[in-house]
Amino acid sequence: MTFKIACYGVRPNEVAYFNDLNKYNYDLTLIEELLTHDNIKTAYNHDAVLLRGNCVADRENIEKMSEHGVKYVFTRTVGFNHIDLAAAKDYHMEVARVPSYSPNAIAELSLTLAMMLLRHTSYMTMRTSHKNFIVDNTMFSKEIRNCKVGIIGTGKIGLTEAKLFAGLGATVLGYDIYENDAAKEILTYTDLDDLLAQSDIVSIHVPYIPGENDQMINAEFISKMKKGAILINTARGELQDNQAILEALKTNHLEGFGTDVFANEKDLFFKQFGENQPLPDPTVEELISLYPRVLVTPHVGSNTDEALTNMIETSFENFHSVLESGKTVNSVL
Ligand SMILES: O=C(O)CC[C@@H](O)C(=O)O
């Protein structure tokens, strides 16, 4: 009997990847929507679900899935903060994830946002798209080789970004509670305060650990940053205090902010709001109004050819190994 997997958050550009990489011939139901309370019935009578970030796998959904035959709640993402692990354990569900995939996918997005803000690219192209070709003071820029870039979190993604920036000639600083030798070849480790004080660009690459680093990018953190610096977060929205970032932009302590993430982003991302329709979060609304000093992408760091391939292949291997041997090395329970 074929193993039935309901896959959620499958963008149209991902369908061919799912089908082409399906070497174990799973019976795949590809669902474009993320898993929510409203569409939970779509999971019923599958053996497994394969989730993405922002899917809702809380106790309510886990209980319902368990009652309707689902035994495996796997995610094709690194982060698994959308899965209630205690509930999964109570209902004897297996939980596994994809511990890493193409780090370049995220690192390149961070670099792109940073370079766009440094060179004021959105500001300039916004004006020229309105037939305004005047060159003003805002269009002046430092070269990246004259900048210091501070990478917070020097794991695979942070290290890849450090290499990209180093390749462009920037001086790269790093901070991590676990320093690693590969990073030492590319960047100079400092303590966090030094990194913040010296860096023209600060880029965040740490996992979100609830109860430990919630809103670590707060008013105090930002006050330690160099005046006129650029802040980039492509990790998790829960790491940032939006109000503090907004204040710092208004007072010009921060020059620019680029983010691929917001806390509670599922109320916002992947939806189209009307021009005059208020966003669910007024602080986010104000931040967005500061475009082009604020650049927001809708959590697309992993939406690249290489990353998608890695995420789907590893997920399929996770299922294969759990079916063959009862376990997978990528289990999170
Ligand atoms: O599901 C996504 O779109 C991205 C998830 C990504 O942040 C991850 O944790 O791997």
Side-chain angles (χ1 to χ4, degrees):
M1 213 171 67
T2 36
F3 188 72
K4 293 173 79 173
I5 311 173
C7 308
Y8 289 89
V10 179
R11 305 175 187 101
N13 61 291
E14 296 181 294
V15 170
Y17 286 83
F18 271 89
N19 291 328
D20 294 350
L21 296 168
N22 187 12
K23 67 175 187 187
Y24 297 116
N25 291 317
Y26 298 125
D27 182 351
L28 302 176
T29 308
L30 304 182
I31 301 166
E32 192 171 348
E33 289 173 358
L34 296 170
L35 180 68
T36 63
H37 285 152
D38 294 335
N39 68 8
I40 184 65
K41 286 191 176 147
T42 54
Y44 293 178
N45 305 319
H46 287 83
D47 300 295
V49 290
L50 182 57
L51 308 178
R52 253 187 49 208
N54 289 309
C55 281
V56 179
D58 59 1
R59 184 169 288 276
E60 179 181 327
N61 271 357
I62 284 178
E63 182 182 353
K64 286 183 179 163
M65 288 194 280
S66 167
E67 280 167 4
H68 291 87
V70 178
K71 289 173 217 66
Y72 305 90
V73 178
F74 284 15
T75 184
R76 60 186 164 108
T77 55
V78 175
F80 50 90
N81 52 308
H82 49 292
I83 303 174
D84 183 334
L85 295 183
K89 209 169 175 186
D90 289 347
Y91 288 94
H92 309 289
M93 302 279 223
E94 289 284 339
V95 180
R97 66 165 180 154
V98 175
S100 76
Y101 50 79
S102 172
N104 300 61
I106 324 295
E108 285 177 16
L109 178 64
S110 307
L111 175 107
T112 305
L113 291 170
M115 289 304 294
M116 284 172 78
L117 289 162
L118 183 72
R119 294 303 300 257
H120 311 288
T121 326
S122 299
Y123 174 76
M124 294 189 285
T125 52
M126 183 182 76
R127 282 164 60 105
T128 56
S129 75
H130 291 107
K131 303 184 184 176
N132 180 353
F133 301 99
I134 290 169
V135 176
D136 69 9
N137 284 343
T138 302
M139 297 179 186
F140 179 72
S141 173
K142 255 174 113 165
E143 291 182 21
I144 190 68
R145 63 181 162 155
N146 294 327
C147 293
K148 287 188 179 156
V149 178
I151 306 283
I152 299 181
T154 58
K156 287 197 182 78
I157 298 171
L159 175 56
T160 302
E161 195 188 0
K163 286 180 185 164
L164 296 177
F165 271 117
L168 293 174
T171 302
V172 187
L173 307 177
Y175 170 73
D176 201 309
I177 44 172
Y178 306 106
E179 299 188 356
N180 69 76
D181 290 341
K184 282 181 191 160
E185 289 179 20
I186 307 293
L187 54 79
T188 307
Y189 277 112
T190 65
D191 64 29
L192 182 59
D193 285 6
D194 262 356
L195 179 146
L196 295 176
Q198 289 189 56
S199 300
D200 301 282
I201 295 168
V202 171
S203 191
I204 311 294
H205 297 289
V206 298
Y208 166 51
I209 306 167
E212 271 186 37
N213 58 5
D214 300 68
Q215 301 202 340
M216 63 175 260
I217 308 164
N218 56 18
E220 190 192 346
F221 176 106
I222 297 167
S223 72
K224 292 177 183 168
M225 287 175 71
K226 193 170 167 179
K227 185 168 165 45
I230 289 168
L231 173 67
I232 305 292
N233 183 9
T234 55
R236 279 290 182 271
E238 288 82 354
L239 298 168
Q240 75 203 19
D241 174 346
N242 292 335
Q243 194 59 45
I245 294 170
L246 179 63
E247 289 310 317
L249 287 159
K250 282 184 181 165
T251 59
N252 293 319
H253 186 72
L254 276 184
E255 160 71 31
F257 173 49
T259 188
D260 192 40
V261 287
F262 279 118
N264 304 318
E265 64 190 27
K266 62 177 177 303
D267 300 336
L268 184 74
F269 286 171
F270 327 121
K271 293 183 163 79
Q272 162 91 65
F273 290 83
E275 202 55 47
N276 298 317
Q277 188 184 356
L279 297 181
D281 181 331
T283 310
V284 170
E285 175 108 43
E286 244 195 290
L287 279 170
I288 282 172
S289 75
L290 296 184
Y291 175 85
R293 286 177 63 209
V294 172
L295 301 180
V296 176
T297 49
H299 209 144
V300 288
S302 61
N303 195 16
T304 70
D305 54 350
E306 192 77 26
L308 290 188
T309 304
N310 302 159
M311 291 163 105
I312 297 167
E313 270 179 350
T314 306
S315 298
F316 287 171
E317 290 302 331
N318 284 346
F319 284 120
H320 183 65
S321 115
V322 92
L323 290 173
E324 290 284 294
S325 67
K327 56 183 186 303
T328 151
V329 283
N330 295 326
S331 169
V332 287
L333 269 184

